Amino acid sequence: MSSQPQRSDLVAKLTRPVARPLAATYRWVDERMGISDLTHQLLYEAVPRRGAWAYSLGSATLIIIVLQIVTGMFLLWTYVPSTTEAWESLNYIEHYDEFAAIVRGMHLWGAYVLLVIIGLHMIRTFVSGSYKKPRELNWIVGVILFLLVLGLGITGAMLPWDQAAYWTAQVVTHVVDYVPLLGNWLQDILRGGPQMGPETLTRFFAIHIWLLPALLVPLVGLHLILLRRHGEHGSWVNYEGVESETEEARAERMADAEYPYPAIPSDPGYAVPVDIGDFFPSQVFKDSLVSFALVLLVFIMAVVVGAPLERAANPAALNYVPTPEWFFLPLDQLLIQFPQAWMIPVGVFVLPGIGTTLLILVPFLDRSPEREPWRRPEVMVPALFAVLFLIFEALLAVNRLFNL
Ligand code: HEM
Ligand code: HEM
């Protein structure tokens, strides 16, 4: 017993020469930058308590995007964006650089996991009616983020410049030609000329590593600023009984609300969740656990399966049939179901265009204050059909491509 204080005295004495200057440096920086205030603000905002695991999907999306940026930067150490050396540089990684091969695997599997998680995050916010007043704009920013991530997925798939990448680039730049009025011009911009060539890879590389990230990063920032401004809506379980609440009870809840609530302008009763807690430690713990499990999954997939690399691109191999990335399978199937003349205009532009427009308009189409999913069949049923339709189309495509 008596040795305890002596030991801690000794530790304090030994660490003092390092701890004191460190603490003084931190105080100096903090006085100038306000790190402590900021950390306090970030950690102690109010969040809804019920259904908290479901709200970890947003931060998991964020963490995997950071993972993509970090692994992408590491890849740039070795990857050479030229049609003569891109494949060579990745082939070198696969055979001689174990660390870089794992990083490459993590970048690929990170992209796959990201697409699944962003999809689940979207479904979660849709089901809980989080797109309603005052969060309409945040939903729209979310839809744009989703499109940017899809864009990163498809442009990334062209970078290895193996057979799959080359023929994917062919298909994508061919389809672009059908854009009304601007098609030819857009195709020339993407290809770097009328035909595919060395500049095509340089262009897709530029789009992948700076153009799309330069749009993605500030928009993620805007998404988070809007989230902070209105507070987490959470889900309907946090607003049980609000309809039968008396005016006094509601006014009391509004008056007792902690920052960032009350969310304004909200439908009556939905400005403050009934049961709130601090973001730290409970929600932070759940968010960290989910994100850690996903990063671990990405790492395991990178080690066990890795990223494939087909033969180097061969423009003369005209009988090569490219298999689309799994997240484009529904679109690929949709395409072949139309007669030749309609295939690209309707399959690539009209239907996906209508789908995207409807997605953006969701907050304006469903304006009722109702948040419980089973009391909103007019939006839940069409959405369920849309998801089932996409899954069905993807299964048909798998069956067609792999003869299952
Ligand atoms: C780059 C991709 C994205 C990132 C990093 C991101 C991040 C986040 C985070 C951290 C939250 C708070 C925690 C949570 O509710 O899960 C959130 C909330 C939200 N996100 Fe996203 N998100 C992304 C994409 C999307 C997409 C694709 C949509 C829908 C189309 C969307 C719609 C929303 C909405 C409506 C909220 C408010 C939820 C609420 O208050 O209940 N987000 N997002
Ligand atoms: C959400 C963000 C991102 C997604 C979804 C994404 C997705 C992808 C995908 C699917 C590939 C193809 C992997 C393969 O088949 O080997 C790829 C390749 C690549 N990405 Fe990204 N990426 C993202 C961000 C970035 C960033 C920010 C950088 C650069 C800082 C980057 C650099 C690269 C490089 C150099 C390659 C070629 C190497 C290779 O193919 O293995 N990526 N990306």
Side-chain angles (χ1 to χ4, degrees), residues 54-63 65 114 118-119 121-122 124-126 128 130-131 135 138-146 149 216 220 223-224 227 231-235 287 359:
Y55 320 146
S56 55
L57 291 169
S59 27
T61 310
L62 185 63
I63 295 296
I65 286 185
L114 174 61
I118 203 173
H121 174 59
M122 220 162 141
R124 193 301 275 169
T125 51
F126 182 87
S128 52
S130 296
Y131 51 80
R135 300 178 181 81
N138 220 11
W139 169 267
I140 295 172
V141 173
V143 176
I144 300 172
L145 287 173
F146 178 64
V149 169
L216 185 80
V220 168
H223 195 59
L224 299 181
L227 173 78
E232 171 85 24
H233 167 73
S235 76
D287 287 2
L359 213 52

Side-chain angles (χ1 to χ4, degrees), residues 24 33 66 73 77 129 144 147 150 188 232 247 265 268 315 339 390 401:
M33 291 192 52
V66 173
M73 282 176 176
W77 286 6
I144 300 172
L147 297 177
L150 275 183
D188 270 16
E232 171 85 24
E247 279 300 320
L390 290 178
L401 292 163

Side-chain angles (χ1 to χ4, degrees), residues 41-112:
Q41 265 179 32
L42 290 178
L43 291 181
Y44 295 104
E45 76 162 333
V47 289
R49 248 191 242 276
R50 301 183 200 169
W53 284 102
Y55 320 146
S56 55
L57 291 169
S59 27
T61 310
L62 185 63
I63 295 296
I64 302 177
I65 286 185
V66 173
L67 183 74
Q68 288 305 99
I69 294 175
V70 173
T71 49
M73 282 176 176
F74 271 108
L75 283 172
L76 291 177
W77 286 6
T78 317
Y79 175 81
V80 186
S82 99
T83 45
T84 48
E85 281 167 86
W87 185 86
E88 292 288 348
S89 60
L90 296 182
N91 194 42
Y92 170 83
I93 285 180
E94 289 304 314
H95 288 100
Y96 302 106
D97 190 341
E98 227 168 282
F99 172 73
I102 293 178
V103 171
R104 179 167 178 248
M106 286 185 76
H107 196 71
L108 179 71
W109 285 98
Y112 290 172

Side-chain angles (χ1 to χ4, degrees), residues 5-336:
Q6 280 170 8
R7 195 182 301 153
S8 62
D9 278 356
L10 187 67
V11 171
K13 240 184 217 159
L14 287 175
T15 54
R16 197 170 296 146
V18 180
R20 275 205 175 154
L22 267 185
T25 312
Y26 175 75
R27 267 200 308 277
W28 189 91
V29 176
D30 191 30
E31 275 163 11
R32 278 143 191 90
M33 291 192 52
I35 302 171
S36 304
D37 280 354
L38 186 70
T39 320
H40 196 268
Q41 265 179 32
L42 290 178
L43 291 181
Y44 295 104
E45 76 162 333
V47 289
R49 248 191 242 276
R50 301 183 200 169
W53 284 102
Y55 320 146
S56 55
L57 291 169
S59 27
T61 310
L62 185 63
I63 295 296
I64 302 177
I65 286 185
V66 173
L67 183 74
Q68 288 305 99
I69 294 175
V70 173
T71 49
M73 282 176 176
F74 271 108
L75 283 172
L76 291 177
W77 286 6
T78 317
Y79 175 81
V80 186
S82 99
T83 45
T84 48
E85 281 167 86
W87 185 86
E88 292 288 348
S89 60
L90 296 182
N91 194 42
Y92 170 83
I93 285 180
E94 289 304 314
H95 288 100
Y96 302 106
D97 190 341
E98 227 168 282
F99 172 73
I102 293 178
V103 171
R104 179 167 178 248
M106 286 185 76
H107 196 71
L108 179 71
W109 285 98
Y112 290 172
V113 170
L114 174 61
L115 282 157
V116 173
I117 299 301
I118 203 173
L120 292 178
H121 174 59
M122 220 162 141
I123 293 175
R124 193 301 275 169
T125 51
F126 182 87
V127 171
S128 52
S130 296
Y131 51 80
K132 296 193 179 210
K133 244 180 8 188
R135 300 178 181 81
E136 303 95 322
L137 263 183
N138 220 11
W139 169 267
I140 295 172
V141 173
V143 176
I144 300 172
L145 287 173
F146 178 64
L147 297 177
L148 289 174
V149 169
L150 275 183
L152 278 154
I154 192 74
T155 48
M158 299 176 198
L159 301 187
W161 217 243
D162 57 359
Q163 282 285 70
Y166 178 84
W167 291 100
T168 304
Q170 271 286 7
V171 172
V172 170
T173 54
H174 173 70
V175 162
V176 162
D177 192 26
Y178 286 79
V179 174
L181 303 175
L182 301 176
N184 217 277
W185 174 77
L186 214 58
Q187 189 186 48
D188 270 16
I189 297 239
L190 287 178
R191 285 188 171 168
Q195 303 297 330
M196 291 247 303
E199 269 194 61
T200 317
L201 178 59
T202 320
R203 303 250 159 135
F204 281 112
F205 175 71
I207 295 173
H208 186 77
I209 69 138
W210 77 260
L211 184 59
L212 294 180
L215 296 171
L216 185 80
V217 171
L219 277 177
V220 168
L222 180 61
H223 195 59
L224 299 181
I225 289 171
L226 287 175
L227 173 78
R228 207 21 118 72
R229 179 171 162 77
H230 300 300
E232 171 85 24
H233 167 73
S235 76
W236 67 97
V237 291
N238 290 292
Y239 303 86
E240 266 164 357
V242 292
E243 278 149 16
S244 51
E245 205 175 29
T246 60
E247 279 300 320
E248 292 80 50
R250 186 168 294 163
E252 197 177 317
R253 209 151 52 78
M254 295 278 272
D256 286 349
E258 275 179 54
Y259 180 81
Y261 303 108
I264 304 289
S266 277
D267 295 313
Y270 292 96
V272 186
V274 287
D275 191 6
I276 53 175
D278 275 334
F279 180 56
F280 180 81
S282 172
Q283 185 69 44
V284 171
F285 172 73
K286 292 183 175 80
D287 287 2
S288 311
L289 206 65
V290 170
S291 297
F292 176 76
L294 289 171
V295 173
L296 189 66
L297 174 72
V298 168
F299 177 73
I300 292 172
M301 294 309 283
V303 173
V304 177
V305 186
L309 186 66
E310 294 189 5
R311 288 182 188 185
N314 176 7
L318 295 175
N319 55 352
Y320 179 86
V321 182
T323 314
E325 286 284 352
W326 60 267
F327 45 91
F328 276 102
L329 283 178
L331 189 60
D332 189 61
Q333 183 64 20
L334 209 59
L335 271 180
I336 64 139

